[in-house]
Amino acid sequence: MAEATRALWVTAEGECEIRRSALPERSPDQVQVRTLHSAISRGTESLVLRGRIPESQHQRMRAPFQEGDFPWPVKYGYLNVGVVERGPVELEGRTVFCLYPHQTRYVVPADAVTVVPPQVPPERAVLAGTVETAVNAAWDAAPLVGDRIAVVGGGMVGCAVAAILARVPGVRAQLVDVDPARETTARALGVDFAIPEHAREECDLVVHASGDRRGLVRSLELLAQEGRVVELSWYGDAEVGLPLGEFFHSRRLTIRSSQVGVVAHPRRGHAERMSLALDLLADPSFDALITGVSSFDDLPELLSGELPALCHRVDYRAGHARP
C-alpha cells in the first residue's frame, strides 16, 4: 500500500486547503524526505495567493516542484527542510534543504537536496532559499571595500542582503524601511536602521527590496553621482512609474535587475550557491528573521489572513500525526 502525504494547495484567491495524495515510488537515484519545517516566503507566495502572477510569466515563475498551474489550483513553495528517510546510503538520516512546497513527505531526485551543515539548526535552515537570493544579489551588487550602502525594504530578502553586505570590510550599511519596528531586526543583524525620510544619502550602492514603487524612487534619491540601484523587487503584473527626468541622467545613475533564477557569479553554479547560503546560516543572528511559528495544519487559516512580515516557519510534527 502506497504511503500517503499531505500538501497545501492554493485553490482560489486567498483560499487554501490541505490535500492528501499517495507518495510516488522512489527510484534508486531519488530520496524520500520527511518534512521537519517549511517557511512562507511573503513576497512571491502572496502574489501566488492573490493570483497576481502575470500570464506571460507563468512558466518562468514556476517553483522547482510546483504542481498545478497559475493562477490555481496550485501547490507552491520553496523553503523546506526535512530528514531523508530513504535514499542513497550517504544521505539516509541526513537533514536536507530542498526547494519544495509545503508538504509532509515527498520524493525528489537526490541531487535536488542539499545537506544542512551540522552547525546550522534545521529551524534556521528554512532561510536557505532567502539567503541564496541574498547571495545572488550581493554578487550582482559587487560592493567595494568602504562603500556606502543602503538596503531599502526590510522584508526577508532585504534583511538578509543587508546582513551579508554589512560584513564587507569598511562598508557603511543601513537598512531602510517604513516600519520603525524593523530597527530591532536590523540591530540583531548588525546593521544600522533608518526610516526613509531619515536615511543617509550619497550612497554608492542601494539594493531595493521593498516591492513598492515608492521604495524604488527613494532608492534613486539616496544615490551619489554615478551610483547604482540593484532591483530585487518583483512586481507581478503591476506597472511601475519612475522619475527618470530630474536627476537620473545628470547624476548618471544606474538601475540593474537581480533575480535568483540566474547565478550571478561566472564561476559558480546553483549547488555551490546554495551550499554557501547554508554555510552563512551558521551565524545565529539570522534567527532574527524568523518572527512566527505555526503548525502545518494551521496553514489554510493562516494564509487566509495577512501574511507575516518576515519569515513564518511551519512545523510539521502535528501534520505527521495523521499523514
Side-chain angles (χ1 to χ4, degrees):
M1 185 175 181
E3 292 188 67
T5 185
R6 300 166 67 227
L8 181 81
W9 285 74
V10 179
T11 56
E13 183 174 356
E15 296 182 12
C16 306
E17 64 182 39
I18 293 175
R19 295 181 176 179
R20 187 188 302 264
S21 63
L23 274 178
E25 290 290 329
R26 184 187 68 84
S27 63
D29 61 346
Q30 292 181 313
V31 291
Q32 178 178 308
V33 179
R34 172 175 57 86
T35 302
L36 298 174
H37 313 283
S38 64
I40 298 167
S41 173
R42 182 177 185 266
T44 306
E45 288 194 54
S46 64
L47 291 173
V48 172
L49 190 64
R50 299 199 309 269
R52 295 293 302 276
I53 306 297
E55 187 173 351
S56 64
Q57 298 298 304
H58 279 190
Q59 288 303 312
R60 184 177 294 274
M61 290 304 298
R62 289 186 68 87
F65 295 100
Q66 174 181 322
E67 291 184 34
D69 296 309
F70 298 124
W72 36 66
V74 64
K75 183 177 77 175
Y76 192 88
Y78 47 82
L79 300 172
N80 190 299
V81 174
V83 174
V84 175
E85 294 184 310
R86 300 187 184 94
V89 64
E90 66 273 15
L91 289 175
E92 282 195 3
R94 305 292 296 273
T95 301
V96 295
F97 177 86
C98 185
L99 297 167
Y100 204 88
H102 309 283
Q103 183 165 317
T104 57
R105 282 185 171 87
Y106 54 91
V107 174
V108 294
D111 61 7
V113 302
T114 304
V115 174
V116 175
Q119 65 270 27
V120 179
E123 295 85 355
R124 190 187 306 150
V126 293
L127 295 166
T130 300
V131 175
E132 182 190 22
T133 301
V135 167
N136 209 60
W139 285 342
D140 273 326
L144 299 176
V145 172
D147 266 356
R148 296 159 298 183
I149 299 174
V151 177
V152 176
M156 285 175 65
V157 172
C159 286
V161 173
I164 291 172
L165 295 180
R167 286 151 176 75
V168 176
V171 155
R172 186 191 72 181
Q174 186 172 63
L175 181 68
V176 180
D177 196 89
V178 295
D179 183 2
R182 196 65 75 238
E183 181 174 5
T184 302
T185 305
R187 299 299 181 192
L189 294 169
V191 181
D192 292 340
F193 177 82
I195 58 175
E197 54 267 36
H198 296 158
R200 293 190 293 248
E201 299 184 350
E202 294 295 304
C203 291
D204 304 293
L205 166 67
V206 177
V207 178
H208 178 239
S210 80
D212 190 300
R213 174 245 181 213
R214 292 168 295 181
L216 181 52
V217 172
R218 186 59 178 144
S219 296
L220 290 169
E221 293 171 346
L222 296 178
L223 288 175
Q225 186 81 9
E226 307 253 354
R228 63 200 188 281
V229 169
V230 174
E231 175 60 284
L232 279 177
S233 298
W234 192 68
Y235 300 91
D237 57 2
E239 294 187 4
V240 178
L242 295 175
L244 298 184
E246 302 183 22
F247 54 82
F248 182 77
H249 288 284
S250 62
R251 291 195 205 164
R252 293 173 54 82
L253 305 182
T254 301
I255 303 173
R256 72 157 300 170
S257 67
S258 180
Q259 203 273 341
V260 72
V262 176
V263 178
H265 196 298
R267 294 178 298 279
R268 300 290 186 271
H270 288 88
E272 290 175 291
R273 187 177 64 183
M274 180 59 77
S275 292
L276 174 58
L278 281 162
D279 287 341
L280 292 173
L281 283 169
D283 184 344
S285 68
F286 282 103
D287 286 336
L289 300 186
I290 300 175
T291 54
V293 180
S294 295
S295 72
F296 172 72
D297 290 308
D298 291 336
L299 268 181
E301 181 179 357
L302 174 71
L303 293 176
S304 66
E306 186 68 23
L307 286 177
L310 289 177
C311 178
H312 195 91
R313 195 181 75 229
V314 181
D315 293 343
Y316 280 69
R317 228 164 259 188
H320 289 150
R322 41 189 178 89

